PDB file of all heavy atoms in Angstrom:
ATOM      1  N   VAL A 232      36.923  59.406-212.349  1.00 69.00           N
ATOM      2  CA  VAL A 232      35.512  59.042-212.274  1.00 69.00           C
ATOM      3  C   VAL A 232      35.059  58.691-213.679  1.00 69.00           C
ATOM      4  O   VAL A 232      35.277  59.467-214.620  1.00 69.00           O
ATOM      5  CB  VAL A 232      34.658  60.207-211.724  1.00 69.00           C
ATOM      6  CG1 VAL A 232      33.188  59.805-211.647  1.00 69.00           C
ATOM      7  CG2 VAL A 232      35.162  60.638-210.356  1.00 69.00           C
ATOM      8  N   SER A 233      34.454  57.533-213.833  1.00 75.00           N
ATOM      9  CA  SER A 233      34.071  57.080-215.168  1.00 75.00           C
ATOM     10  C   SER A 233      33.019  58.005-215.780  1.00 75.00           C
ATOM     11  O   SER A 233      32.248  58.656-215.074  1.00 75.00           O
ATOM     12  CB  SER A 233      33.530  55.656-215.107  1.00 75.00           C
ATOM     13  OG  SER A 233      32.297  55.625-214.417  1.00 75.00           O
ATOM     14  N   ARG A 234      33.002  58.025-217.111  1.00 72.00           N
ATOM     15  CA  ARG A 234      32.025  58.848-217.821  1.00 72.00           C
ATOM     16  C   ARG A 234      30.602  58.401-217.501  1.00 72.00           C
ATOM     17  O   ARG A 234      29.684  59.220-217.376  1.00 72.00           O
ATOM     18  CB  ARG A 234      32.297  58.759-219.323  1.00 72.00           C
ATOM     19  CG  ARG A 234      31.264  59.448-220.192  1.00 72.00           C
ATOM     20  CD  ARG A 234      31.229  60.918-219.932  1.00 72.00           C
ATOM     21  NE  ARG A 234      30.097  61.552-220.614  1.00 72.00           N
ATOM     22  CZ  ARG A 234      29.412  62.567-220.150  1.00 72.00           C
ATOM     23  NH1 ARG A 234      29.733  63.088-218.984  1.00 72.00           N
ATOM     24  NH2 ARG A 234      28.414  63.077-220.834  1.00 72.00           N
ATOM     25  N   GLY A 235      30.400  57.098-217.339  1.00 76.00           N
ATOM     26  CA  GLY A 235      29.071  56.588-217.011  1.00 76.00           C
ATOM     27  C   GLY A 235      28.572  57.107-215.671  1.00 76.00           C
ATOM     28  O   GLY A 235      27.400  57.472-215.531  1.00 76.00           O
ATOM     29  N   LEU A 236      29.477  57.177-214.695  1.00 79.00           N
ATOM     30  CA  LEU A 236      29.092  57.697-213.380  1.00 79.00           C
ATOM     31  C   LEU A 236      28.859  59.201-213.437  1.00 79.00           C
ATOM     32  O   LEU A 236      27.943  59.720-212.796  1.00 79.00           O
ATOM     33  CB  LEU A 236      30.181  57.359-212.360  1.00 79.00           C
ATOM     34  CG  LEU A 236      29.883  57.715-210.898  1.00 79.00           C
ATOM     35  CD1 LEU A 236      28.646  56.973-210.409  1.00 79.00           C
ATOM     36  CD2 LEU A 236      31.085  57.399-210.010  1.00 79.00           C
ATOM     37  N   GLN A 237      29.679  59.900-214.221  1.00 79.00           N
ATOM     38  CA  GLN A 237      29.504  61.342-214.357  1.00 79.00           C
ATOM     39  C   GLN A 237      28.147  61.690-214.952  1.00 79.00           C
ATOM     40  O   GLN A 237      27.504  62.655-214.520  1.00 79.00           O
ATOM     41  CB  GLN A 237      30.603  61.913-215.260  1.00 79.00           C
ATOM     42  CG  GLN A 237      31.990  61.870-214.679  1.00 79.00           C
ATOM     43  CD  GLN A 237      33.033  62.341-215.677  1.00 79.00           C
ATOM     44  OE1 GLN A 237      32.722  62.960-216.678  1.00 79.00           O
ATOM     45  NE2 GLN A 237      34.290  62.036-215.396  1.00 79.00           N
ATOM     46  N   SER A 238      27.719  60.922-215.959  1.00 78.00           N
ATOM     47  CA  SER A 238      26.481  61.252-216.684  1.00 78.00           C
ATOM     48  C   SER A 238      25.223  60.749-215.990  1.00 78.00           C
ATOM     49  O   SER A 238      24.118  61.020-216.471  1.00 78.00           O
ATOM     50  CB  SER A 238      26.543  60.671-218.103  1.00 78.00           C
ATOM     51  OG  SER A 238      26.641  59.254-218.066  1.00 78.00           O
ATOM     52  N   THR A 239      25.370  60.028-214.888  1.00 85.00           N
ATOM     53  CA  THR A 239      24.190  59.508-214.181  1.00 85.00           C
ATOM     54  C   THR A 239      24.155  60.042-212.744  1.00 85.00           C
ATOM     55  O   THR A 239      23.531  61.075-212.472  1.00 85.00           O
ATOM     56  CB  THR A 239      24.189  57.979-214.195  1.00 85.00           C
ATOM     57  OG1 THR A 239      25.454  57.483-213.707  1.00 85.00           O
ATOM     58  CG2 THR A 239      23.963  57.454-215.616  1.00 85.00           C
ATOM     59  N   ALA A 240      24.849  59.366-211.847  1.00 87.00           N
ATOM     60  CA  ALA A 240      24.821  59.757-210.435  1.00 87.00           C
ATOM     61  C   ALA A 240      25.442  61.126-210.229  1.00 87.00           C
ATOM     62  O   ALA A 240      24.927  61.952-209.456  1.00 87.00           O
ATOM     63  CB  ALA A 240      25.546  58.712-209.585  1.00 87.00           C
ATOM     64  N   GLY A 241      26.544  61.399-210.913  1.00 87.00           N
ATOM     65  CA  GLY A 241      27.190  62.696-210.762  1.00 87.00           C
ATOM     66  C   GLY A 241      26.312  63.835-211.254  1.00 87.00           C
ATOM     67  O   GLY A 241      26.193  64.875-210.595  1.00 87.00           O
ATOM     68  N   LEU A 242      25.709  63.631-212.415  1.00 89.00           N
ATOM     69  CA  LEU A 242      24.814  64.646-212.967  1.00 89.00           C
ATOM     70  C   LEU A 242      23.621  64.869-212.047  1.00 89.00           C
ATOM     71  O   LEU A 242      23.236  66.021-211.767  1.00 89.00           O
ATOM     72  CB  LEU A 242      24.337  64.216-214.354  1.00 89.00           C
ATOM     73  CG  LEU A 242      23.333  65.132-215.048  1.00 89.00           C
ATOM     74  CD1 LEU A 242      23.966  66.479-215.360  1.00 89.00           C
ATOM     75  CD2 LEU A 242      22.794  64.479-216.319  1.00 89.00           C
ATOM     76  N   ALA A 243      23.006  63.779-211.577  1.00 91.00           N
ATOM     77  CA  ALA A 243      21.836  63.897-210.709  1.00 91.00           C
ATOM     78  C   ALA A 243      22.175  64.626-209.417  1.00 91.00           C
ATOM     79  O   ALA A 243      21.430  65.510-208.968  1.00 91.00           O
ATOM     80  CB  ALA A 243      21.271  62.507-210.410  1.00 91.00           C
ATOM     81  N   THR A 244      23.313  64.279-208.817  1.00 92.00           N
ATOM     82  CA  THR A 244      23.713  64.927-207.568  1.00 92.00           C
ATOM     83  C   THR A 244      23.909  66.426-207.765  1.00 92.00           C
ATOM     84  O   THR A 244      23.406  67.249-206.988  1.00 92.00           O
ATOM     85  CB  THR A 244      25.011  64.301-207.040  1.00 92.00           C
ATOM     86  OG1 THR A 244      24.806  62.895-206.822  1.00 92.00           O
ATOM     87  CG2 THR A 244      25.431  64.968-205.729  1.00 92.00           C
ATOM     88  N   GLY A 245      24.630  66.785-208.825  1.00 92.00           N
ATOM     89  CA  GLY A 245      24.900  68.191-209.075  1.00 92.00           C
ATOM     90  C   GLY A 245      23.641  68.999-209.348  1.00 92.00           C
ATOM     91  O   GLY A 245      23.446  70.076-208.772  1.00 92.00           O
ATOM     92  N   VAL A 246      22.765  68.477-210.206  1.00 93.00           N
ATOM     93  CA  VAL A 246      21.566  69.225-210.582  1.00 93.00           C
ATOM     94  C   VAL A 246      20.608  69.349-209.403  1.00 93.00           C
ATOM     95  O   VAL A 246      20.034  70.425-209.158  1.00 93.00           O
ATOM     96  CB  VAL A 246      20.871  68.559-211.786  1.00 93.00           C
ATOM     97  CG1 VAL A 246      19.520  69.220-212.069  1.00 93.00           C
ATOM     98  CG2 VAL A 246      21.753  68.646-213.018  1.00 93.00           C
ATOM     99  N   LEU A 247      20.424  68.277-208.642  1.00 94.00           N
ATOM    100  CA  LEU A 247      19.474  68.313-207.530  1.00 94.00           C
ATOM    101  C   LEU A 247      19.965  69.208-206.396  1.00 94.00           C
ATOM    102  O   LEU A 247      19.178  69.965-205.802  1.00 94.00           O
ATOM    103  CB  LEU A 247      19.213  66.899-207.022  1.00 94.00           C
ATOM    104  CG  LEU A 247      18.483  65.968-208.006  1.00 94.00           C
ATOM    105  CD1 LEU A 247      18.321  64.580-207.410  1.00 94.00           C
ATOM    106  CD2 LEU A 247      17.136  66.542-208.400  1.00 94.00           C
ATOM    107  N   ILE A 248      21.260  69.156-206.104  1.00 95.00           N
ATOM    108  CA  ILE A 248      21.800  70.040-205.068  1.00 95.00           C
ATOM    109  C   ILE A 248      21.689  71.497-205.508  1.00 95.00           C
ATOM    110  O   ILE A 248      21.323  72.387-204.724  1.00 95.00           O
ATOM    111  CB  ILE A 248      23.266  69.673-204.746  1.00 95.00           C
ATOM    112  CG1 ILE A 248      23.320  68.324-204.020  1.00 95.00           C
ATOM    113  CG2 ILE A 248      23.931  70.758-203.899  1.00 95.00           C
ATOM    114  CD1 ILE A 248      24.715  67.840-203.716  1.00 95.00           C
ATOM    115  N   TYR A 249      21.975  71.738-206.766  1.00 93.00           N
ATOM    116  CA  TYR A 249      21.830  73.100-207.302  1.00 93.00           C
ATOM    117  C   TYR A 249      20.384  73.564-207.203  1.00 93.00           C
ATOM    118  O   TYR A 249      20.109  74.716-206.837  1.00 93.00           O
ATOM    119  CB  TYR A 249      22.304  73.121-208.752  1.00 93.00           C
ATOM    120  CG  TYR A 249      22.093  74.452-209.439  1.00 93.00           C
ATOM    121  CD1 TYR A 249      22.976  75.510-209.223  1.00 93.00           C
ATOM    122  CD2 TYR A 249      21.030  74.663-210.309  1.00 93.00           C
ATOM    123  CE1 TYR A 249      22.800  76.733-209.850  1.00 93.00           C
ATOM    124  CE2 TYR A 249      20.838  75.885-210.934  1.00 93.00           C
ATOM    125  CZ  TYR A 249      21.724  76.911-210.707  1.00 93.00           C
ATOM    126  OH  TYR A 249      21.540  78.121-211.323  1.00 93.00           O
ATOM    127  N   GLY A 250      19.448  72.658-207.511  1.00 93.00           N
ATOM    128  CA  GLY A 250      18.033  73.009-207.433  1.00 93.00           C
ATOM    129  C   GLY A 250      17.614  73.388-206.022  1.00 93.00           C
ATOM    130  O   GLY A 250      16.903  74.380-205.827  1.00 93.00           O
ATOM    131  N   VAL A 251      18.045  72.627-205.046  1.00 95.00           N
ATOM    132  CA  VAL A 251      17.696  72.928-203.650  1.00 95.00           C
ATOM    133  C   VAL A 251      18.319  74.255-203.219  1.00 95.00           C
ATOM    134  O   VAL A 251      17.660  75.099-202.584  1.00 95.00           O
ATOM    135  CB  VAL A 251      18.167  71.797-202.721  1.00 95.00           C
ATOM    136  CG1 VAL A 251      17.984  72.185-201.261  1.00 95.00           C
ATOM    137  CG2 VAL A 251      17.394  70.509-203.019  1.00 95.00           C
ATOM    138  N   ALA A 252      19.585  74.476-203.588  1.00 94.00           N
ATOM    139  CA  ALA A 252      20.272  75.704-203.178  1.00 94.00           C
ATOM    140  C   ALA A 252      19.636  76.932-203.819  1.00 94.00           C
ATOM    141  O   ALA A 252      19.345  77.922-203.137  1.00 94.00           O
ATOM    142  CB  ALA A 252      21.751  75.617-203.552  1.00 94.00           C
ATOM    143  N   PHE A 253      19.413  76.876-205.130  1.00 90.00           N
ATOM    144  CA  PHE A 253      18.847  78.059-205.779  1.00 90.00           C
ATOM    145  C   PHE A 253      17.391  78.261-205.356  1.00 90.00           C
ATOM    146  O   PHE A 253      16.904  79.395-205.281  1.00 90.00           O
ATOM    147  CB  PHE A 253      18.972  77.948-207.306  1.00 90.00           C
ATOM    148  CG  PHE A 253      17.699  77.653-208.034  1.00 90.00           C
ATOM    149  CD1 PHE A 253      16.858  78.677-208.436  1.00 90.00           C
ATOM    150  CD2 PHE A 253      17.333  76.349-208.317  1.00 90.00           C
ATOM    151  CE1 PHE A 253      15.684  78.411-209.116  1.00 90.00           C
ATOM    152  CE2 PHE A 253      16.168  76.073-208.995  1.00 90.00           C
ATOM    153  CZ  PHE A 253      15.330  77.109-209.396  1.00 90.00           C
ATOM    154  N   GLY A 254      16.685  77.171-205.020  1.00 93.00           N
ATOM    155  CA  GLY A 254      15.319  77.302-204.531  1.00 93.00           C
ATOM    156  C   GLY A 254      15.260  78.042-203.209  1.00 93.00           C
ATOM    157  O   GLY A 254      14.379  78.885-202.991  1.00 93.00           O
TER     158      GLY A 254
END
Side-chain angles (χ1 to χ4, degrees):
V232 180
S233 68
R234 174 63 189 146
L236 185 61
Q237 292 175 16
S238 62
T239 52
L242 177 65
T244 301
V246 172
L247 294 178
I248 290 177
Y249 175 79
V251 172
F253 106 88

